[in-house]
Amino acid sequence: MPSDIKGLVDVDGEWHRGAVRGPVTLPGKTIGILGGGQLGRMFAIAARRMGYRVHALDPAPDCPTGQVADVEWSAAYDDIGTAVKFAAAVDVVTFEFENIPYETLQAVAEIVPVFPAPLVLDTTRHRLREKTFLSTHGYPVAPFRPVASVDELRAAVAVLGLPCILKTATFGYDGKGQTRINSLDDVDDAWHRLGQPLGVLEGFVAFSCELSVIVARGRNGAISTFDVAENVHEHHILDLTVVPARVPEATKKNAIDVAKSVAKGLDLIGVLAVELFLVDDGTPAGKLVVNELAPRPHNSGHFSIDACATSQFEQQLRAVCGLPLGDVTLFRPVAMANLLGEHWHSADVGGEPRFDQALAISGVKLHLYGKTEPRPGRKMGHLTATADDVETARALVLQARDALTPTDRRRRD
Ligand code: AMP
């Protein structure tokens, strides 16, 4: 690969050697997406812009992806009969949701190529398999123990120490299925709340900040990473992302190296988010601990739509279709703030949030996901702001989010 193509990185010369696996899926063909949330919606918008047709499958009719897809299939994820018909109607399949049953993905993969491969999803959606994959491949993770009973939990707490975090092995995202254990008195209650036969107890990581890297790997082995994002979570849900991350260059390089290496280790074709904790260990770059992997575009990569030459969704499309990966240059520093259901609840009585006020701020963009019911904690949309520096972008996006709500109704927590 010529070294002057920005954003595309040759890994072990694969660009030269690697043949594109499977036929290229050119614009005009039909992409199937399993899962109908906002990630699928933004993917479908990118795909339709490039002339693809999109079919979306989700249990809920009028889902965020279905609203912008050519064809919406409404069926339960374990309805293999419908999934097979869906597969027969499209040229390639990807997913935006991790909890698609493995049997469904396998049935689809027998009919049409699925990227990332079902095995990648099977590894990353199960916290124990994911952590085992990471630790056996030498990536640092928080100390962890599988726990299958309250007695095992008590024993694991004794080993890992307090505080610690009990997480479900499956169906965990956005802090769902997580309980922090601060004292031995919390153990019974934490086990009860798990509500699943298997959990993973994690040692608490005293991080100085949270980072993420969105990495894409094409069908020919080419790898590309977006700029490292710095993330702030509230109540275990992403609240704010700023890019570039305000950490030393050596830290960014290490984060990017980890992300590329994990993508390669998984033999990923598609997009993968690698969430990391940065821990101050006295070295200038600090120590990185991998928290979580998601083999799809990620909330912390939404900045790429407004601030990069190629968005994470177009990159997913390019990767799964066997097209060359796009240029990921960051045009401007950017900040992204999530809009959760509570921003609606606290908005003016009977009215929508004051989007007009937010959009009056220069550099601010609004993304809404087409969800009608603003439940607390539900991701309804996001705002981004670009500026000449990251501090200004951050201040602008927070100002814009505040502007949605009349002063007397702003949340104080
Ligand atoms: P997760 O759903 O695992 O991505 O966790 C959501 C958020 O909870 C993370 O981004 C952290 O802010 C926090 N968290 C999760 N696991 C740990 C841990 N082992 N130590 C400290 N904070 C954690």
Side-chain angles (χ1 to χ4, degrees), residues 127 131 142-143 164-165 167 172-176 178 180 202-207 210 232-238 275 277 291-292:
R127 221 181 275 276
K131 287 207 176 291
C164 49
I165 301 187
K167 302 181 177 181
Y173 60 95
D174 287 345
K176 291 189 175 69
Q178 281 193 26
R180 183 172 161 151
E202 271 185 35
F204 188 82
V205 180
F207 53 80
E210 296 191 67
V232 179
H233 291 78
E234 290 287 339
H235 309 297
H236 299 278
I237 301 178
L238 184 66
E275 290 185 68
F277 297 135
N291 174 35
E292 212 171 36

Side-chain angles (χ1 to χ4, degrees), residues 65-80:
T65 313
Q67 290 168 13
V68 300
D70 293 272
V71 181
E72 181 177 37
W73 296 66
S74 302
Y77 291 130
D78 59 3
D79 176 352
I80 292 185

